[in-house]
Amino acid sequence: MKKIIQITSGRGPAECNFVVTNVFKKFSEACTKSEIKFDIIEREMDKDFNQLSSVIIELEGNDLNTFLKTWIGTILWIGKSPYRKFHQRKNWFIGCFELEIPKENSINPNEIIYQMMRSSGNGGQNVNKVNSAVRAIHQPSGISAVSMDLRSQHQNKKTATTRLLLKLQELEINKLKDLVQKKWNNQTSIARGNPVKIFRGDKFVTS
């Protein structure tokens, strides 16, 4: 089983980045203890204190759903600001979210089927007598593309395939755009309240 998660400060102040950095350490320790393999896919650092503002991690292991139940959601750290000595605030929130990253689309030629059709419109006597138009259909997604511009069925098949691949490429780009939007939303909409996990003090002891 594999999962992708993001631990983020949600564009919070420097203290929240401090929390992300320390929570990630605790999360890594918990993964090791539970024999869960983890790899960092992406990390973002703040410019002022060189702390993590966001980290995206790929997890692989058994029963990840049970493991993540106590991590996915809002995480609270109760402690004094390490940067502002006289700051009164003691509650600092970050978020831990699951992401769905689209897989790279590698087209299997066997997944594409072709339908031959009779061409229509201008193009000479041959157009209406031969089934030269071609529709290429990607079976898993149902997306299709048609070419009837050329007299040769072979040429139309080639053009229809190219158009289909471009459509599928656009679909993957849109999925990536959705991921970026979801990631941005995760960083800007951390709920305050009902945290799934609470850490306290400089040593980040759980309570």
Side-chain angles (χ1 to χ4, degrees):
M1 180 183 290
K2 288 187 178 182
K3 295 277 187 179
I4 304 288
I5 70 153
Q6 178 190 24
I7 302 174
T8 174
S9 63
R11 303 301 184 194
E15 288 84 358
C16 291
N17 299 333
F18 171 79
V19 178
V20 169
T21 302
N22 283 278
V23 167
F24 172 63
K25 290 177 183 176
K26 293 293 183 180
F27 182 84
S28 302
E29 291 170 3
C31 286
T32 301
K33 187 176 180 180
S34 298
E35 297 183 344
I36 293 171
K37 180 184 175 183
F38 64 93
D39 292 306
I40 297 174
I41 294 177
E42 178 186 302
R43 70 175 85 200
E44 295 177 12
M45 310 294 293
D46 69 28
K47 295 178 182 178
D48 298 321
F49 301 100
N50 199 34
Q51 301 285 337
L52 282 171
S53 60
S54 172
V55 58
I56 296 177
I57 314 152
E58 181 181 71
L59 305 174
E60 184 175 358
N62 297 322
D63 205 11
L64 286 180
N65 289 329
T66 300
F67 174 78
L68 290 174
K69 273 184 180 179
T70 58
W71 289 97
I72 297 296
T74 301
I75 296 174
L76 167 64
W77 176 60
I78 301 175
K80 290 185 177 182
S81 168
Y83 309 121
R84 294 179 281 181
K85 185 176 180 180
F86 299 106
H87 196 9
Q88 297 300 310
R89 179 176 167 183
K90 291 184 178 180
N91 292 340
W92 309 94
F93 296 90
I94 65 167
C96 182
F97 304 93
E98 184 175 349
L99 297 178
E100 220 176 286
I101 297 181
K103 295 179 181 178
E104 184 179 348
N105 190 19
S106 54
I107 303 301
N108 183 344
N110 294 328
E111 295 177 344
I112 301 176
I113 60 173
Y114 298 92
Q115 294 178 349
M116 310 308 167
M117 307 179 297
R118 190 176 296 278
S119 297
S120 61
N122 297 328
Q125 294 180 351
N126 183 58
V127 169
N128 292 320
K129 293 181 180 178
V130 180
N131 293 340
S132 60
V134 178
R135 174 181 281 114
I137 305 170
H138 182 237
Q139 288 181 294
S141 65
I143 293 173
S144 66
V146 175
S147 176
M148 57 178 65
D149 308 324
L150 306 166
R151 285 177 179 265
S152 165
Q153 189 178 88
H154 175 73
Q155 288 176 316
N156 275 328
K157 182 178 180 180
K158 186 176 179 180
T159 301
T161 302
T162 300
R163 290 174 179 172
L164 176 63
L165 293 175
L166 287 172
K167 280 189 175 183
L168 291 170
Q169 185 180 52
E170 183 179 3
L171 179 66
E172 291 304 308
I173 289 172
N174 287 334
K175 285 181 180 179
L176 288 171
K177 286 180 179 177
D178 290 341
L179 171 64
V180 171
Q181 184 61 48
K182 184 175 181 180
K183 178 181 171 183
W184 176 259
N185 290 341
N186 287 348
Q187 291 181 321
T188 56
S189 61
I190 292 176
R192 305 315 198 249
N194 297 322
V196 293
K197 196 176 286 288
I198 299 174
F199 292 94
R200 298 177 185 272
D202 294 340
K203 294 185 178 180
F204 278 73
V205 178
T206 55
S207 58

